[in-house]
Amino acid sequence: MIVAGPCSAESRAQVLDTCRALAAGGRVDMLRAGVWKPRTSPSCFQGVGRIGLEWLAEASRATGLPFGVEVASAEHIEAAVAAGASMVWIGARTTGNPFSMQEIAEALRGSEVTVMVKNPAIPDVGLWRGAVERLTAAGVAPERIVLIHRGFSQTGRGLYRNPPMWHIALDMRRDYPGLKMLCDPSHICGSRERLREISQKAADLSYDGLFVESHIDPSSALSDASQQLTPVDLDAMLDAIVWRREESPHPAFEQAIERCRLEIDQIDMQVFDLLARRMVIAEDIGRIKLQNDVTILQRQRWEEIVDTLVGRAGQWKLSPDFVRSILEAIHMESIARQNGVMNPGEDGRQ
Ligand code: PEP
Ligand code: MN
């Protein structure tokens, strides 16, 4: 299942042109666009509001494709349903808010729309589960609930805008095997570069499809300009993705191993993201020492670090030798980086 459309509905022409081009490609099953945008800053574009629903309804009539919008309140749901939306989705910021989820669940009682539930912004699978539980408790049938993995917030900037945590999404699939799961590569990547790679990964993990942003002219987009693809580029990307059949002699074994590997990959990524940040700080220290004419190595400070962390090895269930050798490797790199700042021109290694 492919759900595609602009991040935001911006004008009648932008919605119609984008949706017509998406439909012409023949690969898209449903249109999406935000009309109420949950933006981090109040000074950003907040969405066009209800008028955008009329543009989407017109695009839907013109293309024969159903459409969905993001909702965060009972009022949004009422307006979306009245405009003919077949789907509403719950954004990451809303999934993590139990008050909003309760209001949304009540408002969906008895309605026939499909509800797509993005993962919450923080990696708390319980919040995601809770959102689904509120919907099912309000009588929303499982066939009408779809999960979307859109990655999780992080501190600082990394490779991804919202790094994927595939193992958390797999946990949700294990808990709700009957629900479909889509991947939103756009909000995971935050840029166009790795969209295909992430989409292929989702296909390899047996996701049921993609939820992806596309804009007729991404460079002029009022929100998420850097992650949107033109409809033509989206078609090319969708063409390149291989959806393999799920087959394995021992599916339970494969799944268990895969889950562990995903978690390990995720942790390795975090370990090196943190080390990279540590090295940037080491360079700051180098600059401060340079300004104050202080040596690179303060023996006492280093011994304190080693004693503290090696002393905690047991608490982490790690061997003291292991902790010491990791620390030594980190320290060598750190000294090299400080040296690079304090003695530019040398190779930086001791
Ligand atoms: C969106 O899909 O446009 C959106 C706001 O996504 P998220 O809730 O994943 O940030
Ligand atoms: Mn967006």
Side-chain angles (χ1 to χ4, degrees):
M1 176 182 213
I2 306 292
V3 182
C7 176
S8 302
E10 299 168 3
S11 69
R12 179 172 172 268
Q14 172 253 6
V15 171
L16 281 171
D17 291 353
T18 306
C19 295
R20 281 208 177 98
L22 287 170
R27 288 179 181 79
V28 171
D29 304 296
M30 190 182 270
L31 302 167
R32 63 142 281 161
V35 302
W36 301 285
K37 299 302 296 177
R39 307 304 300 284
T40 301
S41 163
S43 57
C44 292
F45 173 61
Q46 303 294 304
V48 294
R50 282 172 188 254
I51 182 83
L53 295 171
E54 289 174 27
W55 304 333
L56 278 162
E58 190 179 344
S60 175
R61 286 193 298 274
T63 59
L65 293 174
F67 75 95
V69 288
E70 175 168 352
V71 294
S73 67
E75 197 188 328
H76 290 166
I77 292 170
E78 199 190 315
V81 170
S86 313
M87 178 273 279
V88 292
W89 86 81
I90 297 158
R93 294 156 194 79
T94 307
T95 307
N97 181 335
F99 290 129
S100 303
M101 274 314 307
Q102 192 57 39
E103 177 182 331
I104 287 168
E106 296 299 339
L108 285 167
R109 200 181 278 282
S111 101
E112 290 300 311
V113 291
T114 294
V115 189
M116 300 200 174
V117 188
K118 290 200 170 195
N119 64 257
I122 58 166
D124 178 348
V125 74
L127 275 175
W128 202 359
R129 255 193 243 119
V132 171
E133 275 166 33
R134 285 175 204 273
L135 293 172
T136 51
V140 181
E143 308 83 69
R144 292 200 287 115
I145 303 178
V146 176
L147 302 171
I148 304 177
H149 178 203
R150 53 74 84 190
F152 296 86
S153 292
Q154 62 183 334
T155 47
R157 284 230 142 258
L159 196 56
Y160 301 107
R161 178 179 176 193
N162 295 290
M165 292 200 180
W166 303 105
H167 59 286
I168 289 188
L170 275 190
D171 283 350
M172 274 304 272
R173 292 212 96 172
R174 187 200 52 212
D175 295 346
Y176 297 101
L179 303 192
K180 286 200 163 40
M181 169 87 77
L182 305 183
C183 175
D184 172 348
S186 310
H187 292 88
I188 287 178
C189 294
S191 74
R192 282 175 278 276
E193 272 98 89
R194 272 172 280 271
L195 288 172
R196 198 180 76 79
E197 186 191 312
I198 288 291
S199 302
Q200 184 62 56
K201 178 96 180 171
D204 292 341
L205 291 171
S206 309
Y207 276 56
D208 298 292
L210 300 174
F211 187 90
V212 58
E213 288 186 342
S214 174
H215 191 292
I216 195 72
D217 176 21
S219 63
S220 71
L222 299 180
S223 60
D224 291 351
S226 54
Q227 70 195 28
Q228 303 202 60
L229 290 172
T230 62
V232 168
D233 287 347
L234 176 66
D235 267 341
M237 182 186 89
L238 293 175
D239 234 6
I241 296 169
V242 187
W243 295 88
R244 298 181 179 89
R245 281 207 294 146
E246 201 178 347
E247 254 175 327
S248 153
H250 306 292
F253 165 79
E254 289 291 338
Q255 264 182 24
I257 288 276
E258 185 61 14
R259 194 198 171 287
C260 294
R261 287 186 181 143
L262 290 169
E263 196 158 5
I264 280 192
D265 290 350
Q266 184 70 41
I267 291 172
D268 285 348
M269 200 69 109
Q270 288 171 353
V271 166
F272 284 98
D273 272 347
L274 284 172
L275 285 173
R277 279 165 57 191
R278 192 190 190 287
M279 294 309 157
V280 170
I281 297 175
E283 288 183 351
D284 287 344
I285 290 187
R287 274 183 281 277
I288 296 168
K289 286 179 178 170
L290 180 63
Q291 281 158 11
N292 293 279
D293 240 358
V294 170
T295 58
I296 290 185
L297 185 64
Q298 271 87 46
R299 205 165 290 281
Q300 201 193 338
R301 158 85 179 138
W302 175 239
E303 278 163 13
E304 274 167 24
I305 294 180
V306 175
D307 286 351
T308 309
L309 296 178
V310 172
R312 286 203 184 171
Q315 215 170 304
W316 291 318
K317 297 193 170 60
L318 298 171
S319 78
D321 281 352
F322 174 68
V323 173
R324 190 182 299 277
S325 55
I326 296 281
L327 270 175
E328 272 162 13
I330 292 175
H331 193 224
M332 291 278 289
E333 180 71 9
S334 200
I335 287 179
R337 296 283 283 259
Q338 289 189 38
N339 198 29
V341 170
M342 297 176 77
N343 303 301
E346 293 180 17
D347 76 350
R349 302 268 154 190
Q350 296 253 308

